[in-house]
Amino acid sequence: MYPEILAPAGSVESLYAAVNAGCDAVYMGGARFGARAYADNPDCENLLSAINYCHIHGVKLYMTVNTLLKDSEVKCLYKYIKPYYEIGLDAVIVQDMGVLSLLHKYFPDLKLHASTQMALTTGYSADILKKYGVTRIIPARELTISEIKQIRNTTDIEIEVFVHGALCYCYSGQCLFSSMLGTRSGNRGRCTQPCRLPYFIDNKGNKSQSYILSMKELCTLPYIGELIEAGVSSFKIEGRMKRPVYTAFVTSIYRKYVNLYKELGKSSYKRYIEDNKEEFLYDIDMLAEVYNREGFTCGYLSGKKEDMLASMRPNHGGVCVGQVVGKNKGTFKYKLFKDINAHDVVETRDGSMKSGYEYTTGSDRKAGEIVEAKFKKGCIINKKDKVYRTKNATLLDDIKSRYIDNNKKVIITGIFKAACGEKPCLFVKNAAGIEAVVYGDICQRAQKSAATKAAVEKSILQTKDTEFEFGRLEVLIDSDLFLPVSQLKNMRRLALNKLRDNIIDSYLRKSLYTPCNIEQYNNKTITPLVYKASIMTMSQLDAVLNSINNIKISEIYIKTELLEEENIREAFLKVKSSGMRCCIVMPHIFRHSTWEYEKKCVENGSSIYGMQWDGYIIKNFEEYVFLTEIVGIDSGNIITDSGLYIMNSSSSMFWKELGVTKHTMPFELEISEMKDIAKVSNMEAVIYTHVPLMVSAQCTVCNMKGCKKDFGTDISSTIIYDLDGKEFTVVNYCKYCYNVIYQKEPISIINCINKLSDIGISGFRYDFTIERAEEVKKILSGKYSKRTNTGHYFDRVK
């Protein structure tokens, strides 16, 4: 099996463009619950039509329901999805575990795809997900080819991989940056893209500004063969916020190279790329003409360190076509490196990619020519500035004529039979084998001119105003028949309409679920109020232990990012000897290399996870599987952390089915929205912390100074500032090879504990991250005087 080409459809126009360009499937949002709330998503009627259109063209449509839903929204889920399910929706892409379990309950035969928002990094959770109707996982974009192969070797579940388009700085689903800066959450489809803004970096007192969180565009064309050989099922193109011409052209290029691999096979394909390098590089250049950010990156596929940042320009970079060679009053001259066309848009840029002057060209010019152009007063242009083309008019016109202006036809075959004294018959069939047959009036012998085979073909082959086109039509008629043209055309119209209806009908199904109140839960076990503290360093631990007289902390959570294993064991003994419960907090990301290392430790009896912990705080699905299947931990001792997003009661019930009944409230719920969840689950809330805004495989320290992984758990932190002067602390955790960007101003609702306990929350956690020991003591004693905020506890996220 070869991978499908999965194209983005942020609008109906983009859907048509993708189909015209040869995609196998599209993914599209509806009016609600999609991760691109600001795309031109269709309403119900238009999405139903879009599904039918795709099916007529032999293309699948996957619907995005890949955001986190609140309890008030979950109640609408069945009614929202039902019409799409019944018309034959091919799959739903899901992030929220409550949505996942409910959709499988409502529509057991509906295929579900685990969104990249779940941040899955291995295939070990596949068996659990399959039980909930998941047929495909879309792993984190940070994986290498070897990690993708590991998933394929672990499970037979389909794997969908992003091959082209925008990259997030953060692991998908782990970003709270947009949310915490305002009220628009990326987890709810309303990301404001703070990663595309400039930031000031404080490097030993020297501040410099750049787009340090802005990633280049992904282009994996050089890895097509290896991805196919790794067992990838679907090549996904990002871009629901981009124009139809982008969708069409990128789809067409990936279609071209997958088809080449199919035709040639592994060795011949590789040889073809080597022998036709100029053509291959030209295609990449054309992709860059359509959209790039300071060029392209192949992302994390190779596993090698490379520059993935578009640090000087966060939007379309265009292609360099020349260089300024001279400047006079009101005019400048530049020498062309590439041909340019009339109506192209070009602009000058200095060495820092800052724009000087932009204009639209008036004529075609050849590489090597000197072009003179006027510029407006006040524009800054200097000799040796580069000239970039941001709009290639000829290319865009070509894409438009090929893929936008005329919709692709569905190729069908047909047989027309007619004999005297019998009804003429027109039989049509599509490539999937769906058929339609219509009959006309009984044939009579011709009194004058008899129908010819050519005349019959001409009448039936006129399909211009339909979705269909005959690839082959066989005409079998007696030689002396009278066949009115009007009858032939009517039969063609009826046959094609019937074929269209038969294709659509072949996908139809009825929902057998009877709606009922989904809030049929067992009552939770009532637990006393408990104060907890999580620590990152030994000095923080000592500060907490020295402060227990000020506050009745009875549980301490030990984080593993900065502590060596001997420190973790020492911390465990300190806590237990003080008479408190002690739990271990697992890392934000648990990739295959970590899995293998920890598994070996379990096997040789040296695992820190094999100690007698009172609980295990997990941050991802891999950790649940690792603890229950490798370490042998009872799932009743597991607590989900805030990043597993128990945003609704159904999510808590999903985990209850897996034996997990204790959870941490997410940072994106208002207190009033927590009430229903707290009724059914044992919930704790973080009452103080520096919120982790991003968890990233990128590293600011590495990008600035080089990788420090050789220094083990050396903590290297960086302060960055946005344009409004807000501070953020970036910490690189070399042990697990990820960065966390923390909100410098902590959230604190220490004075609002009564409001939380009133709705049934019984655990209250001080979550320490970047604090010094003295700060920890002040916070616990109530003497902390620095500015704090209350996050979304009193400010509802959109």
Side-chain angles (χ1 to χ4, degrees), residues 164 217 237-239 242-253 282-293 295-296 315-319 389-400 402-403:
H164 199 93
E217 291 286 293
I237 299 164
E238 184 277 338
K242 294 190 174 86
R243 298 169 298 161
V245 289
Y246 170 91
T247 299
F249 189 68
V250 177
T251 299
S252 71
I253 293 295
Y282 174 81
D283 285 340
I284 292 178
D285 282 345
M286 292 303 100
L287 287 169
E289 293 268 16
V290 173
Y291 200 90
N292 77 86
R293 284 186 173 96
F296 290 123
N315 50 10
H316 179 36
V319 173
R389 173 167 55 201
T390 56
K391 175 185 174 184
N392 186 326
T394 298
L395 174 62
L396 296 181
D397 286 345
D398 179 58
I399 296 169
K400 189 170 180 290
R402 281 195 287 165
Y403 304 118

Side-chain angles (χ1 to χ4, degrees), residues 124-125 128 595 621-631:
Y124 297 121
S125 59
I128 294 173
W595 177 291
F621 225 102
E622 278 81 14
E623 291 167 352
Y624 169 82
V625 180
F626 180 80
L627 289 176
T628 55
E629 297 185 8
I630 304 300
V631 186

Side-chain angles (χ1 to χ4, degrees), residues 423-471:
K423 291 184 177 181
C425 167
L426 177 58
F427 167 88
V428 293
K429 182 172 70 172
N430 72 355
I434 298 175
E435 306 170 349
V437 182
V438 296
Y439 297 90
D441 297 331
I442 293 175
C443 295
Q444 298 179 353
R445 296 194 184 281
Q447 298 296 317
K448 295 181 180 179
S449 304
T452 64
K453 180 179 178 181
V456 172
E457 286 179 342
K458 182 179 179 182
S459 295
I460 295 176
L461 292 176
Q462 293 176 8
T463 59
K464 185 175 181 181
D465 296 329
T466 74
E467 299 104 328
F468 302 102
E469 182 178 298
F470 282 96

Side-chain angles (χ1 to χ4, degrees), residues 3-194:
E4 70 180 11
I5 304 297
L6 175 56
S11 66
V12 173
E13 291 74 22
S14 288
L15 181 146
Y16 294 155
V19 172
N20 294 338
C23 72
D24 300 296
V26 299
Y27 62 105
M28 190 175 210
R32 307 183 71 186
F33 311 141
R36 295 293 182 272
Y38 301 114
D40 190 13
N41 299 309
D43 59 16
C44 182
E45 182 180 351
N46 285 322
L47 183 52
L48 292 173
S49 296
I51 295 170
N52 285 339
Y53 182 87
C54 285
H55 289 164
I56 290 167
H57 286 79
V59 169
K60 296 177 181 178
L61 190 147
Y62 308 141
M63 185 177 177
T64 58
V65 186
N66 53 343
T67 55
L68 302 175
L69 274 62
K70 300 177 183 181
D71 270 319
S72 59
E73 297 164 327
V74 166
K75 296 173 184 177
C76 309
L77 187 63
Y78 174 75
K79 185 177 179 181
Y80 177 62
I81 297 296
K82 182 174 181 278
Y84 308 124
Y85 167 81
E86 293 192 329
I87 208 170
L89 178 65
D90 295 284
V92 177
I93 303 171
V94 179
Q95 173 189 10
D96 190 308
M97 305 313 295
V99 172
L100 180 77
S101 60
L102 286 176
L103 287 180
H104 185 56
K105 176 183 178 181
Y106 297 152
F107 315 106
D109 60 339
L110 177 60
K111 293 181 178 181
L112 302 176
H113 295 173
S115 171
T116 192
Q117 294 287 111
M118 290 187 187
L120 299 173
T121 58
T122 73
Y124 297 121
S125 59
D127 287 344
I128 294 173
L129 294 173
K130 282 182 180 180
K131 295 175 183 177
Y132 290 88
V134 174
T135 61
R136 175 182 295 186
I137 61 174
I138 311 165
R141 282 175 260 204
E142 289 76 6
L143 299 193
T144 64
I145 284 183
S146 64
E147 288 174 306
I148 294 170
K149 288 179 179 177
Q150 177 274 323
I151 296 176
R152 173 49 62 237
N153 294 335
T154 303
T155 177
D156 61 355
I157 203 166
E158 291 180 350
I159 305 169
E160 179 178 304
V161 171
F162 281 93
V163 295
H164 199 93
L167 283 173
C168 294
Y169 187 86
C170 181
Y171 279 93
S172 293
Q174 297 299 302
C175 185
L176 297 174
F177 214 143
S178 175
S179 173
M180 290 297 164
L181 287 184
T183 57
R184 287 169 54 178
S185 167
N187 285 318
R188 306 256 304 153
R190 290 171 170 81
C191 181
T192 58
Q193 295 196 308

Side-chain angles (χ1 to χ4, degrees), residues 444-688:
Q444 298 179 353
R445 296 194 184 281
Q447 298 296 317
K448 295 181 180 179
S449 304
T452 64
K453 180 179 178 181
V456 172
E457 286 179 342
K458 182 179 179 182
S459 295
I460 295 176
L461 292 176
Q462 293 176 8
T463 59
K464 185 175 181 181
D465 296 329
T466 74
E467 299 104 328
F468 302 102
E469 182 178 298
F470 282 96
R472 179 171 57 84
L473 176 64
E474 187 176 4
V475 177
L476 304 172
I477 60 173
D478 287 353
S479 59
D480 56 352
L481 293 180
F482 171 64
L483 293 172
V485 171
S486 59
Q487 179 176 239
L488 294 174
K489 291 183 176 181
N490 189 51
M491 289 179 68
R492 178 201 67 217
R493 181 181 59 79
L494 293 174
L496 297 186
N497 285 344
K498 190 173 182 180
L499 177 61
R500 186 183 191 280
D501 291 342
N502 288 350
I503 294 170
I504 292 171
D505 289 348
S506 70
Y507 288 88
L508 299 181
R509 55 198 170 191
K510 291 294 292 183
S511 170
L512 302 178
Y513 179 78
T514 302
C516 59
N517 186 356
I518 64 172
E519 296 182 11
Q520 297 176 351
Y521 307 123
N522 296 326
N523 291 328
K524 70 173 184 180
T525 303
I526 303 300
T527 57
L529 302 187
V530 178
Y531 289 88
K532 311 176 183 188
S534 58
I535 61 95
M536 188 78 78
T537 65
M538 293 300 288
S539 62
Q540 289 176 350
L541 174 61
D542 291 338
V544 171
L545 293 176
N546 291 332
S547 302
I548 56 177
N549 292 330
N550 297 323
I551 189 166
K552 296 178 181 178
I553 290 176
S554 57
E555 286 188 36
I556 293 183
Y557 293 176
I558 308 297
K559 298 181 184 181
T560 62
E561 281 97 333
L562 293 178
L563 296 177
E564 298 287 0
E565 292 187 4
E566 58 265 30
N567 298 133
I568 294 171
R569 296 178 193 280
E570 179 188 351
F572 173 81
L573 292 174
K574 277 189 174 185
V575 175
K576 297 300 285 185
S577 65
S578 68
M580 290 187 282
R581 288 169 55 84
C582 191
C583 304
I584 189 167
V585 182
M586 299 188 77
H588 282 282
I589 304 296
F590 204 79
R591 288 173 74 157
H592 181 60
S593 58
T594 305
W595 177 291
E596 286 298 303
Y597 170 79
E598 296 295 351
K599 182 181 177 183
K600 287 179 182 178
C601 291
V602 171
E603 292 169 349
N604 63 32
S606 64
S607 173
I608 55 172
Y609 298 109
M611 296 162 58
Q612 297 301 306
W613 299 99
D614 295 299
Y616 299 79
I617 293 80
I618 63 170
K619 296 175 183 283
N620 52 67
F621 225 102
E622 278 81 14
E623 291 167 352
Y624 169 82
V625 180
F626 180 80
L627 289 176
T628 55
E629 297 185 8
I630 304 300
V631 186
I633 299 301
D634 187 312
S635 56
N637 291 324
I638 292 174
I639 305 165
T640 67
D641 206 8
S642 59
L644 278 169
Y645 300 119
I646 308 301
M647 290 284 285
N648 52 68
S649 305
S650 298
S651 292
S652 66
M653 296 315 296
F654 166 86
W655 284 103
K656 187 172 184 178
E657 291 172 7
L658 299 181
V660 179
T661 59
K662 292 172 281 188
H663 310 286
T664 308
M665 281 293 182
F667 289 114
E668 294 192 302
L669 281 181
E670 195 179 45
I671 289 179
S672 63
E673 296 172 322
M674 300 177 182
K675 188 174 181 179
D676 288 342
I677 305 172
K679 285 179 182 177
V680 298
S681 296
N682 292 314
M683 303 298 299
E684 64 182 64
V686 175
I687 58 173
Y688 168 88

